[in-house]
Amino acid sequence: MILNELVSYEVLRLLWWALLGVLLIGFALTDGFDMGVGALLPFVAKTDTERRQTINTIGPVWEGNQVWFILGGGAIFAAWPPLYAVSFSGFYLAMFLILAALILRPVAFKYRSKRPDPRWRSTWDWALFIGGFVPALLFGVAVGNVLLGVPFHLTPDLMPMYDGSALGKLFGLLRPFALLAGLVSVAMLLMHGAAWLSLKADGAVRDRARRIGTIAGMVAAVGYALAGLWLAVGIDGYAFTHAVAHDGPSNPLMNSVAREGSWLSAYVDRPWIVAAPLFGFVGIAMAVRGLRAGRDVSTLLWSKLGIFGIVSSVGLTMFPFILPSTVDPNSSLTVWDSSSSHMTLFVMLVGAAFFMPLILAYTAWVYKVLWGKVTQDDVTANGDTLY
């Protein structure tokens, strides 16, 4: 009773849904440009000095940026345990590929410059490419599958069960709409990586990044528009068929869900959420304009706005659904029936209120200290101390 007077279960669920979105968007905004730079590496840098210049734009910050991914996974585990169990089980092989690609990054950073052999360094350069491209693609594919719905159901004791074999689950993710979402994700992060290189690099690397980033931004905008049209005319949404207790027990089977209408009906019910896709399109358009005009800081900020709009539009469009089921809509996980307990969410909120400002302050300080461009002269003059 006392806890409910401090902050209700309904409010805590809503807050942790929003905080999960903040963590995932934070990951896309920070580690997103790391992945983008990695995927751009073979194309923007032609010589070893240029490749070292490119790598050193992200070398000091990539590890801190990846913390947002860990925080997001931890938040899912602690605040939304059914979501963690269902998604990590169903996407197991895809997550394994993502983690394997991400593990290549620190190994490549540490080992690339250990030997001067061009073949050795080229191998690790392609490892950095894989570490950027594969997660960018598969994260987008995962988002596309969440919008389509996932083939799972819950048993009466709430155990998640999936249809098909392990390989079938992996290749079953490669549906046309999901692949389009993957393309949007890759193009978006290539644009973001190019915006970062425009800010942090100079010379030929910067110029090539601006050209490629301009094309990637246009592809991202067109793909995002096509995905929205596809959602409007070709993909059914999900909806509750009766009133839901927002402070009820975490048991999806107690609610009744039907697959009907369109996801985009959310924009009729909550017109204000149209701001998210508008941010997406405006941010991308202005980032492309900035890349073409040769702007630095504003281009990166516009790119961040575009990513914020695209990622947030998914969560706002689906709300209150988090992971829909194509096999049994009643098993779909939503904000109101798949969270941890009232006490758990409250204790976690207190911890987040203390640690999140510290993380943000430290991150801001790091970027302030590391402000400035990485030039080819820096690389050649500090060969023993840089990557």
Side-chain angles (χ1 to χ4, degrees):
M1 180 66 70
I2 297 176
L3 180 57
N4 198 58
E5 291 177 356
L6 289 173
V7 55
S8 70
Y9 201 10
E10 175 185 358
V11 170
L12 281 172
R13 281 172 160 167
L14 190 59
L15 284 174
W16 272 104
W17 170 81
L19 282 172
L20 177 59
V22 168
L23 294 174
L24 295 179
I25 291 171
F27 172 63
L29 295 182
T30 55
D31 207 39
F33 67 70
D34 294 338
M35 291 187 284
V37 170
L40 286 169
L41 179 61
F43 310 104
V44 299
K46 302 302 182 181
T47 67
D48 184 65
T49 301
E50 289 179 353
R51 286 189 283 271
R52 293 188 65 210
Q53 178 188 13
T54 303
I55 292 169
N56 277 281
T57 64
I58 59 173
V61 298
W62 72 269
E63 201 164 10
N65 293 339
Q66 199 162 273
V67 168
W68 291 96
F69 179 55
I70 299 170
L71 288 173
I76 294 174
F77 174 78
W80 308 99
L83 174 63
Y84 184 90
V86 173
S87 60
F88 278 68
S89 296
F91 298 161
Y92 180 81
L93 288 179
M95 287 301 300
F96 178 84
L97 290 176
I98 289 173
L99 292 175
L102 290 176
I103 288 170
L104 281 176
R105 288 202 302 178
V107 180
F109 278 122
K110 298 301 181 184
Y111 280 88
R112 183 193 184 277
S113 295
K114 296 298 183 182
R115 294 173 58 185
D117 179 35
R119 196 170 180 181
W120 169 270
R121 293 189 171 187
S122 177
T123 299
W124 292 116
D125 289 340
W126 283 104
L128 286 171
F129 168 79
I130 293 170
F133 178 81
V134 171
L137 175 66
L138 292 183
F139 280 131
V141 168
V143 170
N145 276 279
V146 169
L147 285 163
L148 290 168
V150 181
F152 75 94
H153 68 277
L154 300 176
T155 64
D157 58 356
L158 301 183
M159 178 180 293
M161 304 294 291
Y162 277 83
D163 292 350
S165 63
L167 283 176
K169 284 187 283 188
L170 174 62
F171 291 109
L173 298 176
L174 305 179
R175 293 178 279 183
F177 178 81
L179 290 173
L180 174 61
L183 173 64
V184 172
S185 176
V186 170
M188 177 179 72
L189 296 187
L190 286 176
M191 176 195 71
H192 199 39
W196 176 257
L197 288 174
S198 179
L199 174 68
K200 293 291 290 182
D202 67 353
V205 169
R206 177 197 58 200
D207 296 340
R208 295 187 195 109
R210 286 173 176 171
R211 289 195 295 271
I212 298 173
T214 298
I215 298 171
M218 291 188 288
V219 171
V222 172
Y224 184 50
L226 288 176
L229 180 62
W230 200 332
L231 280 178
V233 301
I235 297 174
D236 292 333
Y238 288 74
F240 287 112
T241 59
H242 63 79
V244 178
H246 296 171
D247 58 353
S250 289
N251 184 350
L253 297 180
M254 295 183 66
N255 293 311
S256 179
V257 174
R259 189 163 195 185
E260 59 185 17
S262 168
W263 281 124
L264 299 191
S265 62
Y267 292 86
V268 177
D269 301 332
R270 304 186 298 277
W272 61 271
I273 68 174
V274 74
L278 285 178
F279 286 157
F281 283 117
V282 171
I284 291 175
M286 294 302 292
V288 168
R289 182 182 178 186
L291 287 168
R292 296 185 67 179
R295 300 188 180 98
D296 293 341
V297 177
S298 62
T299 299
L300 184 65
L301 294 177
W302 283 118
S303 179
K304 289 180 181 291
L305 179 67
I307 292 174
F308 169 80
I310 290 175
V311 177
S312 62
S313 69
V314 176
L316 291 171
T317 299
M318 293 183 62
F319 182 84
F321 289 88
I322 304 176
L323 189 65
S325 167
T326 57
V327 176
D328 176 21
N330 289 332
S331 296
S332 299
L333 306 182
T334 76
V335 172
W336 311 125
D337 55 28
S338 58
S339 71
S340 291
S341 68
H342 194 169
M343 177 62 75
T344 300
L345 294 183
F346 179 76
V347 172
M348 288 176 57
L349 184 63
V350 173
F354 178 76
F355 286 106
M356 282 293 291
L358 292 178
I359 293 171
L360 291 171
Y362 177 75
T363 301
W365 177 78
V366 167
Y367 279 95
K368 180 181 179 181
V369 170
L370 296 173
W371 187 259
K373 289 185 178 292
V374 178
T375 68
Q376 292 192 36
D377 290 339
D378 293 331
V379 172
T380 54
N382 299 277
D384 294 334
T385 59
L386 298 182
Y387 291 101

